[in-house]
Amino acid sequence: MPEPSVPATAAPPLGCLAIVGLGLIGSSIARGARRYGLAERIVAIDADATVRERVRDLGLADHVTDDAAEGGAQADLVILCVPVGAIGPVVAEMAPRLRAGAVVSDVGSVKASVVAAVGPHLPASVAFVPGHPVAGTEYSGPDAGFSTLFSGRWCILTPPEGTDEAAVERVRALWQGLGAVVETMTPEHHDLVLAITSHVPHLIAYNIVGTAADLEAVTESEVMKFSAGGFRDFTRIASSDPTMWRDIFLTNREAVLEMLGRFNEDLSALTRAIRWGDGEALHRLFTRTRAIRRGIVAQGQETAEVDFGRGRAGGGEP
Ligand code: NAP
């Protein structure tokens, strides 16, 4: 895992960093920015009074407020870490008081809908550089965050064509400072890739855990008692934040539906192979999928430990 690229002794590359939404992702950014000296000043903005109190207790920011416009007015870089559906309204609130030359970014798990929601609100003097760190856990809230969450993980930036290169660099430097490896692509391509690598797998997990819970012939206590490794891993994913995942499926509808179409066709082929006893087809597929797993481990995005690295923090998605 690459270490963050900014040594703690260097002058902070950023003046004021404002983080909106101090949950798992926002509080991890705040912790990392502090630990690696990435900003002179951190402003924390959150709508939830309990979260604000916790952020103060944990000392994650220099200034804590529920007023997005006031907090954002001080920032050189604003990172929006609220659920995807809240990003547009928060930007609308902040926009009139943002400084000329400020940069706004986000961490939303869907990109095309965020670009569409933010674009109309920002003045020309403020650049928007959408982002998505492909790192996380199934936990939420300010206590769930940790400074190394992004270390060695990908962060995808999807700047619209013509975005000021200096603005992109400001956001890239933050993520590299947090230890992430940055890649850029279009919002549409991001949404398609994440639909199959993250969104559909979560939907499958929500569905299989729901199906098991609804089975009349199997009691809920049996589901818990006899849950083998495979099902247990699904329950981990299916315990992810309901608001966040509702917003992801509502805003990445087209890409998810396209990938679900493909998934259903492949599932039908597997069903047929089982029905007709086509062991060769099953073995062929399972051999291919095993190679993909090994490729992910080889790229350092997962560990080959027996517990899949779940014992270590930060092994999750999306
Ligand atoms: P989280 O732990 O639930 O934190 C979100 C925080 O934002 C909460 O404190 C929430 O307050 C606050 N909030 C909600 N609406 C707000 C508003 N209008 N104004 C100010 N604060 C508001 O969520 P998270 O897991 O960090 O996810 C945040 C974002 O990161 C989402 O867009 C998600 O798609 C993206 N993301 C998540 C992961 C992951 O693994 N979790 C990974 C990559 C990207 P309440 O407690 O009152 O709701």
Side-chain angles (χ1 to χ4, degrees), residues 17-22 25-26 29 45 68 77-84 86-92 94 98 103-109 111 114 118 122 128-131 133 175:
L17 170 67
I19 302 169
V20 191
L22 275 286
I25 301 294
I29 295 173
I45 303 159
L77 175 60
V78 177
I79 305 271
L80 303 150
C81 305
V82 295
V84 168
I87 290 177
V90 169
V91 171
M94 294 182 118
L98 287 171
V103 176
V104 173
S105 185
D106 77 305
V107 298
S109 306
K111 296 277 54 97
V114 166
V118 168
L122 285 183
F128 181 48
V129 182
W175 286 109

Side-chain angles (χ1 to χ4, degrees), residues 142-277:
D143 286 291
F146 51 100
S147 64
T148 54
L149 174 61
F150 311 109
S151 182
R153 302 284 166 193
W154 290 102
C155 181
I156 301 170
L157 302 183
T158 64
E161 240 182 63
T163 306
D164 177 21
E165 202 34 55
V168 179
E169 271 316 305
R170 198 178 297 178
V171 179
R172 185 194 301 273
L174 175 77
W175 286 109
Q176 287 177 340
L178 293 168
V181 188
V182 177
E183 179 143 327
T184 57
M185 60 180 70
T186 66
E188 292 73 21
H189 189 67
H190 166 279
D191 290 353
L192 208 59
V193 172
L194 269 291
I196 194 61
T197 57
S198 174
H199 305 170
V200 169
H202 273 76
L203 197 69
I204 293 166
Y206 283 123
N207 188 54
I208 197 161
V209 175
T211 302
D214 288 346
L215 276 181
E216 278 158 21
V218 180
T219 67
E220 205 163 299
S221 65
E222 282 174 313
V223 168
M224 292 186 197
K225 189 167 155 191
F226 299 117
S227 71
F231 184 74
R232 244 189 349 245
D233 263 12
F234 277 121
T235 62
R236 182 186 67 78
I237 297 173
S239 70
S240 299
D241 187 72
T243 306
M244 170 180 152
W245 282 97
R246 176 203 62 195
D247 284 6
I248 287 173
F249 291 115
L250 292 179
T251 54
N252 199 21
R253 192 175 58 171
E254 299 310 323
V256 168
L257 289 177
E258 189 176 330
M259 289 305 166
L260 270 180
R262 289 287 298 265
F263 174 81
N264 282 327
E265 281 176 27
D266 292 343
L267 189 62
S268 298
L270 267 181
T271 310
R272 202 169 45 241
I274 293 170
R275 190 182 307 286
W276 294 104

